[in-house]
mmCIF file of all heavy atoms in Angstrom:
data_model
loop_
_atom_site.group_PDB
_atom_site.id
_atom_site.type_symbol
_atom_site.label_atom_id
_atom_site.label_comp_id
_atom_site.label_asym_id
_atom_site.label_seq_id
_atom_site.Cartn_x
_atom_site.Cartn_y
_atom_site.Cartn_z
ATOM 1 N N ALA A 12 115.511 134.477 84.700
ATOM 2 C CA ALA A 12 116.732 134.174 83.963
ATOM 3 C C ALA A 12 117.845 133.819 84.937
ATOM 4 O O ALA A 12 118.014 134.478 85.967
ATOM 5 C CB ALA A 12 117.148 135.367 83.109
ATOM 6 N N VAL A 13 118.614 132.779 84.606
ATOM 7 C CA VAL A 13 119.734 132.349 85.439
ATOM 8 C C VAL A 13 120.994 132.423 84.589
ATOM 9 O O VAL A 13 121.249 131.542 83.760
ATOM 10 C CB VAL A 13 119.529 130.922 85.986
ATOM 11 C CG1 VAL A 13 120.672 130.556 86.932
ATOM 12 C CG2 VAL A 13 118.189 130.797 86.698
ATOM 13 N N ALA A 14 121.767 133.478 84.763
ATOM 14 C CA ALA A 14 123.019 133.630 84.031
ATOM 15 C C ALA A 14 124.059 132.706 84.648
ATOM 16 O O ALA A 14 124.334 132.781 85.845
ATOM 17 C CB ALA A 14 123.494 135.076 84.093
ATOM 18 N N GLY A 15 124.623 131.812 83.835
ATOM 19 C CA GLY A 15 125.515 130.797 84.370
ATOM 20 C C GLY A 15 124.753 129.612 84.924
ATOM 21 O O GLY A 15 125.226 128.919 85.829
ATOM 22 N N GLY A 16 123.589 129.351 84.373
ATOM 23 C CA GLY A 16 122.710 128.308 84.896
ATOM 24 C C GLY A 16 123.170 126.889 84.659
ATOM 25 O O GLY A 16 122.528 125.954 85.153
ATOM 26 N N THR A 17 124.282 126.696 83.930
ATOM 27 C CA THR A 17 124.812 125.347 83.739
ATOM 28 C C THR A 17 125.968 125.050 84.693
ATOM 29 O O THR A 17 126.518 123.952 84.670
ATOM 30 C CB THR A 17 125.308 125.157 82.289
ATOM 31 O OG1 THR A 17 126.303 126.150 81.997
ATOM 32 C CG2 THR A 17 124.160 125.294 81.300
ATOM 33 N N GLY A 18 126.354 126.023 85.518
ATOM 34 C CA GLY A 18 127.468 125.839 86.439
ATOM 35 C C GLY A 18 127.057 125.192 87.744
ATOM 36 O O GLY A 18 125.904 124.755 87.925
ATOM 37 N N LEU A 19 127.996 125.148 88.678
ATOM 38 C CA LEU A 19 127.776 124.473 89.966
ATOM 39 C C LEU A 19 126.585 125.051 90.722
ATOM 40 O O LEU A 19 125.612 124.350 91.017
ATOM 41 C CB LEU A 19 129.046 124.575 90.815
ATOM 42 C CG LEU A 19 128.941 124.052 92.253
ATOM 43 C CD1 LEU A 19 128.629 122.564 92.267
ATOM 44 C CD2 LEU A 19 130.237 124.344 93.017
ATOM 45 N N VAL A 20 126.634 126.346 91.037
ATOM 46 C CA VAL A 20 125.535 126.965 91.761
ATOM 47 C C VAL A 20 124.338 127.178 90.851
ATOM 48 O O VAL A 20 123.184 126.987 91.255
ATOM 49 C CB VAL A 20 125.974 128.308 92.382
ATOM 50 C CG1 VAL A 20 124.804 128.993 93.069
ATOM 51 C CG2 VAL A 20 127.097 128.090 93.378
ATOM 52 N N GLY A 21 124.600 127.547 89.590
ATOM 53 C CA GLY A 21 123.512 127.797 88.657
ATOM 54 C C GLY A 21 122.609 126.600 88.462
ATOM 55 O O GLY A 21 121.380 126.732 88.375
ATOM 56 N N GLY A 22 123.198 125.410 88.411
ATOM 57 C CA GLY A 22 122.388 124.207 88.270
ATOM 58 C C GLY A 22 121.456 124.011 89.448
ATOM 59 O O GLY A 22 120.291 123.622 89.282
ATOM 60 N N HIS A 23 121.956 124.300 90.650
ATOM 61 C CA HIS A 23 121.103 124.199 91.843
ATOM 62 C C HIS A 23 120.015 125.269 91.834
ATOM 63 O O HIS A 23 118.880 125.017 92.262
ATOM 64 C CB HIS A 23 121.951 124.339 93.102
ATOM 65 C CG HIS A 23 122.821 123.156 93.405
ATOM 66 N ND1 HIS A 23 122.323 121.887 93.584
ATOM 67 C CD2 HIS A 23 124.161 123.058 93.566
ATOM 68 C CE1 HIS A 23 123.312 121.043 93.854
ATOM 69 N NE2 HIS A 23 124.439 121.733 93.843
ATOM 70 N N VAL A 24 120.354 126.479 91.351
ATOM 71 C CA VAL A 24 119.352 127.545 91.272
ATOM 72 C C VAL A 24 118.219 127.124 90.346
ATOM 73 O O VAL A 24 117.035 127.311 90.662
ATOM 74 C CB VAL A 24 119.991 128.861 90.778
ATOM 75 C CG1 VAL A 24 118.908 129.896 90.465
ATOM 76 C CG2 VAL A 24 120.945 129.417 91.827
ATOM 77 N N VAL A 25 118.564 126.549 89.208
ATOM 78 C CA VAL A 25 117.549 126.083 88.255
ATOM 79 C C VAL A 25 116.644 125.046 88.907
ATOM 80 O O VAL A 25 115.414 125.086 88.768
ATOM 81 C CB VAL A 25 118.224 125.505 86.993
ATOM 82 C CG1 VAL A 25 117.220 124.761 86.121
ATOM 83 C CG2 VAL A 25 118.892 126.630 86.192
ATOM 84 N N LEU A 38 120.832 131.167 80.857
ATOM 85 C CA LEU A 38 121.636 132.015 79.980
ATOM 86 C C LEU A 38 123.061 131.495 80.006
ATOM 87 O O LEU A 38 123.771 131.633 81.014
ATOM 88 C CB LEU A 38 121.601 133.473 80.437
ATOM 89 C CG LEU A 38 120.226 134.113 80.652
ATOM 90 C CD1 LEU A 38 120.394 135.566 81.095
ATOM 91 C CD2 LEU A 38 119.388 134.029 79.384
ATOM 92 N N LEU A 46 126.949 136.302 77.079
ATOM 93 C CA LEU A 46 126.769 137.491 77.896
ATOM 94 C C LEU A 46 127.751 138.600 77.539
ATOM 95 O O LEU A 46 127.464 139.778 77.760
ATOM 96 C CB LEU A 46 126.928 137.134 79.374
ATOM 97 C CG LEU A 46 125.886 136.197 79.978
ATOM 98 C CD1 LEU A 46 126.240 135.894 81.430
ATOM 99 C CD2 LEU A 46 124.490 136.796 79.880
ATOM 100 N N VAL A 62 116.204 138.199 87.515
ATOM 101 C CA VAL A 62 117.481 137.625 87.064
ATOM 102 C C VAL A 62 118.300 137.187 88.276
ATOM 103 O O VAL A 62 118.377 137.910 89.272
ATOM 104 C CB VAL A 62 118.294 138.651 86.246
ATOM 105 C CG1 VAL A 62 119.694 138.118 85.934
ATOM 106 C CG2 VAL A 62 117.569 139.020 84.963
ATOM 107 N N VAL A 63 118.905 136.009 88.171
ATOM 108 C CA VAL A 63 119.918 135.569 89.122
ATOM 109 C C VAL A 63 121.213 135.405 88.341
ATOM 110 O O VAL A 63 121.290 134.568 87.434
ATOM 111 C CB VAL A 63 119.547 134.237 89.802
ATOM 112 C CG1 VAL A 63 120.670 133.795 90.744
ATOM 113 C CG2 VAL A 63 118.245 134.362 90.570
ATOM 114 N N ASP A 64 122.224 136.198 88.668
ATOM 115 C CA ASP A 64 123.489 136.162 87.940
ATOM 116 C C ASP A 64 124.530 135.407 88.749
ATOM 117 O O ASP A 64 125.053 135.907 89.745
ATOM 118 C CB ASP A 64 123.972 137.591 87.653
ATOM 119 C CG ASP A 64 125.224 137.615 86.774
ATOM 120 O OD1 ASP A 64 125.711 136.536 86.388
ATOM 121 O OD2 ASP A 64 125.709 138.725 86.480
ATOM 122 N N VAL A 65 124.827 134.180 88.311
ATOM 123 C CA VAL A 65 125.899 133.382 88.909
ATOM 124 C C VAL A 65 126.925 133.040 87.836
ATOM 125 O O VAL A 65 127.583 132.004 87.883
ATOM 126 C CB VAL A 65 125.357 132.104 89.590
ATOM 127 C CG1 VAL A 65 124.588 132.435 90.839
ATOM 128 C CG2 VAL A 65 124.457 131.302 88.629
ATOM 129 N N SER A 66 127.051 133.925 86.837
ATOM 130 C CA SER A 66 127.999 133.710 85.753
ATOM 131 C C SER A 66 129.419 133.700 86.296
ATOM 132 O O SER A 66 129.717 134.286 87.340
ATOM 133 C CB SER A 66 127.847 134.796 84.682
ATOM 134 O OG SER A 66 128.033 136.086 85.236
ATOM 135 N N ASN A 67 130.319 133.052 85.561
ATOM 136 C CA ASN A 67 131.662 132.828 86.077
ATOM 137 C C ASN A 67 132.636 132.625 84.921
ATOM 138 O O ASN A 67 132.227 132.349 83.789
ATOM 139 C CB ASN A 67 131.660 131.589 86.990
ATOM 140 C CG ASN A 67 132.937 131.439 87.769
ATOM 141 O OD1 ASN A 67 133.621 132.418 88.049
ATOM 142 N ND2 ASN A 67 133.286 130.218 88.121
ATOM 143 N N LEU A 68 133.916 132.772 85.196
ATOM 144 C CA LEU A 68 134.959 132.387 84.251
ATOM 145 C C LEU A 68 136.173 131.957 85.043
ATOM 146 O O LEU A 68 136.349 132.340 86.210
ATOM 147 C CB LEU A 68 135.314 133.518 83.293
ATOM 148 C CG LEU A 68 136.310 134.601 83.766
ATOM 149 C CD1 LEU A 68 136.829 135.365 82.566
ATOM 150 C CD2 LEU A 68 135.659 135.524 84.766
ATOM 151 N N PHE A 79 135.503 140.834 81.804
ATOM 152 C CA PHE A 79 134.363 139.930 81.672
ATOM 153 C C PHE A 79 133.178 140.396 82.501
ATOM 154 O O PHE A 79 132.055 140.545 81.996
ATOM 155 C CB PHE A 79 134.739 138.512 82.089
ATOM 156 C CG PHE A 79 133.557 137.580 82.163
ATOM 157 C CD1 PHE A 79 133.037 136.998 81.017
ATOM 158 C CD2 PHE A 79 132.952 137.307 83.381
ATOM 159 C CE1 PHE A 79 131.932 136.161 81.078
ATOM 160 C CE2 PHE A 79 131.848 136.466 83.453
ATOM 161 C CZ PHE A 79 131.336 135.894 82.301
ATOM 162 N N PHE A 80 133.401 140.631 83.789
ATOM 163 C CA PHE A 80 132.279 140.948 84.672
ATOM 164 C C PHE A 80 131.674 142.319 84.377
ATOM 165 O O PHE A 80 130.471 142.516 84.546
ATOM 166 C CB PHE A 80 132.709 140.840 86.130
ATOM 167 C CG PHE A 80 132.843 139.421 86.608
ATOM 168 C CD1 PHE A 80 134.087 138.899 86.953
ATOM 169 C CD2 PHE A 80 131.737 138.596 86.689
ATOM 170 C CE1 PHE A 80 134.214 137.589 87.384
ATOM 171 C CE2 PHE A 80 131.849 137.283 87.105
ATOM 172 C CZ PHE A 80 133.094 136.771 87.457
ATOM 173 N N LEU A 87 123.735 142.339 80.695
ATOM 174 C CA LEU A 87 122.624 141.668 81.367
ATOM 175 C C LEU A 87 121.683 142.686 82.006
ATOM 176 O O LEU A 87 120.456 142.553 81.914
ATOM 177 C CB LEU A 87 123.184 140.713 82.418
ATOM 178 C CG LEU A 87 122.236 139.698 83.061
ATOM 179 C CD1 LEU A 87 121.493 138.896 82.009
ATOM 180 C CD2 LEU A 87 123.021 138.769 83.980
ATOM 181 N N HIS A 99 117.187 142.106 90.169
ATOM 182 C CA HIS A 99 118.434 141.573 89.622
ATOM 183 C C HIS A 99 119.305 141.153 90.801
ATOM 184 O O HIS A 99 119.745 141.995 91.590
ATOM 185 C CB HIS A 99 119.127 142.654 88.789
ATOM 186 C CG HIS A 99 120.347 142.187 88.074
ATOM 187 N ND1 HIS A 99 120.365 141.908 86.728
ATOM 188 C CD2 HIS A 99 121.611 141.969 88.498
ATOM 189 C CE1 HIS A 99 121.576 141.550 86.357
ATOM 190 N NE2 HIS A 99 122.360 141.567 87.416
ATOM 191 N N VAL A 100 119.562 139.849 90.932
ATOM 192 C CA VAL A 100 120.322 139.317 92.058
ATOM 193 C C VAL A 100 121.662 138.784 91.569
ATOM 194 O O VAL A 100 121.722 138.034 90.578
ATOM 195 C CB VAL A 100 119.536 138.197 92.773
ATOM 196 C CG1 VAL A 100 120.376 137.582 93.896
ATOM 197 C CG2 VAL A 100 118.235 138.746 93.343
ATOM 198 N N VAL A 101 122.733 139.159 92.254
ATOM 199 C CA VAL A 101 124.088 138.755 91.876
ATOM 200 C C VAL A 101 124.752 138.011 93.030
ATOM 201 O O VAL A 101 124.664 138.435 94.185
ATOM 202 C CB VAL A 101 124.941 139.986 91.497
ATOM 203 C CG1 VAL A 101 126.388 139.585 91.233
ATOM 204 C CG2 VAL A 101 124.372 140.687 90.280
ATOM 205 N N LEU A 102 125.435 136.916 92.697
ATOM 206 C CA LEU A 102 126.231 136.190 93.683
ATOM 207 C C LEU A 102 127.661 136.722 93.656
ATOM 208 O O LEU A 102 128.294 136.773 92.599
ATOM 209 C CB LEU A 102 126.232 134.691 93.388
ATOM 210 C CG LEU A 102 127.125 133.838 94.299
ATOM 211 C CD1 LEU A 102 126.664 133.917 95.751
ATOM 212 C CD2 LEU A 102 127.157 132.390 93.818
ATOM 213 N N SER A 103 128.174 137.109 94.818
ATOM 214 C CA SER A 103 129.537 137.601 94.925
ATOM 215 C C SER A 103 130.269 136.843 96.026
ATOM 216 O O SER A 103 129.810 135.789 96.469
ATOM 217 C CB SER A 103 129.528 139.112 95.169
ATOM 218 O OG SER A 103 130.822 139.661 94.987
ATOM 219 N N TYR A 114 140.898 137.765 90.436
ATOM 220 C CA TYR A 114 139.511 137.391 90.173
ATOM 221 C C TYR A 114 138.561 138.212 91.039
ATOM 222 O O TYR A 114 137.492 138.629 90.590
ATOM 223 C CB TYR A 114 139.321 135.894 90.446
ATOM 224 C CG TYR A 114 137.908 135.402 90.236
ATOM 225 C CD1 TYR A 114 137.445 135.103 88.966
ATOM 226 C CD2 TYR A 114 137.042 135.236 91.321
ATOM 227 C CE1 TYR A 114 136.147 134.645 88.764
ATOM 228 C CE2 TYR A 114 135.751 134.784 91.128
ATOM 229 C CZ TYR A 114 135.310 134.488 89.865
ATOM 230 O OH TYR A 114 134.024 134.053 89.668
ATOM 231 N N LYS A 118 135.054 140.606 90.385
ATOM 232 C CA LYS A 118 133.779 140.517 91.089
ATOM 233 C C LYS A 118 133.415 141.845 91.750
ATOM 234 O O LYS A 118 132.239 142.226 91.789
ATOM 235 C CB LYS A 118 133.837 139.410 92.145
ATOM 236 C CG LYS A 118 133.938 137.999 91.577
ATOM 237 C CD LYS A 118 132.696 137.626 90.776
ATOM 238 C CE LYS A 118 131.470 137.451 91.632
ATOM 239 N NZ LYS A 118 130.281 137.046 90.853
ATOM 240 N N GLN A 121 131.961 143.972 89.173
ATOM 241 C CA GLN A 121 130.596 143.539 88.893
ATOM 242 C C GLN A 121 129.624 144.156 89.898
ATOM 243 O O GLN A 121 128.556 144.654 89.520
ATOM 244 C CB GLN A 121 130.514 142.014 88.957
ATOM 245 C CG GLN A 121 129.142 141.450 88.651
ATOM 246 C CD GLN A 121 129.071 139.953 88.905
ATOM 247 O OE1 GLN A 121 129.685 139.437 89.836
ATOM 248 N NE2 GLN A 121 128.350 139.250 88.054
ATOM 249 N N PHE A 145 132.677 127.473 98.506
ATOM 250 C CA PHE A 145 131.812 126.300 98.583
ATOM 251 C C PHE A 145 132.599 125.101 99.096
ATOM 252 O O PHE A 145 133.836 125.073 99.065
ATOM 253 C CB PHE A 145 131.221 125.981 97.211
ATOM 254 C CG PHE A 145 130.616 127.171 96.515
ATOM 255 C CD1 PHE A 145 130.863 127.403 95.166
ATOM 256 C CD2 PHE A 145 129.814 128.064 97.199
ATOM 257 C CE1 PHE A 145 130.322 128.496 94.526
ATOM 258 C CE2 PHE A 145 129.260 129.160 96.570
ATOM 259 C CZ PHE A 145 129.525 129.381 95.227
ATOM 260 N N VAL A 176 123.555 127.854 99.052
ATOM 261 C CA VAL A 176 123.713 129.172 98.439
ATOM 262 C C VAL A 176 122.622 129.384 97.394
ATOM 263 O O VAL A 176 121.987 130.445 97.340
ATOM 264 C CB VAL A 176 125.101 129.319 97.790
ATOM 265 C CG1 VAL A 176 125.217 130.646 97.046
ATOM 266 C CG2 VAL A 176 126.209 129.214 98.839
ATOM 267 N N ALA A 177 122.397 128.376 96.566
ATOM 268 C CA ALA A 177 121.358 128.471 95.536
ATOM 269 C C ALA A 177 119.980 128.688 96.151
ATOM 270 O O ALA A 177 119.198 129.513 95.671
ATOM 271 C CB ALA A 177 121.358 127.197 94.690
ATOM 272 N N LEU A 180 119.734 132.252 97.231
ATOM 273 C CA LEU A 180 119.584 133.143 96.081
ATOM 274 C C LEU A 180 118.145 133.154 95.580
ATOM 275 O O LEU A 180 117.606 134.209 95.234
ATOM 276 C CB LEU A 180 120.525 132.708 94.954
ATOM 277 C CG LEU A 180 122.010 133.009 95.142
ATOM 278 C CD1 LEU A 180 122.836 132.245 94.107
ATOM 279 C CD2 LEU A 180 122.281 134.501 95.052
#
Side-chain angles (χ1 to χ4, degrees):
V13 184
T17 57
L19 174 63
V20 177
H23 288 302
V24 170
V25 168
L38 307 180
L46 295 177
V62 173
V63 178
D64 186 0
V65 290
S66 58
N67 191 27
L68 83 163
F79 172 80
F80 285 113
L87 192 52
H99 185 103
V100 176
V101 174
L102 176 62
S103 193
Y114 179 81
K118 292 296 291 182
Q121 181 187 36
F145 311 136
V176 175
L180 286 167

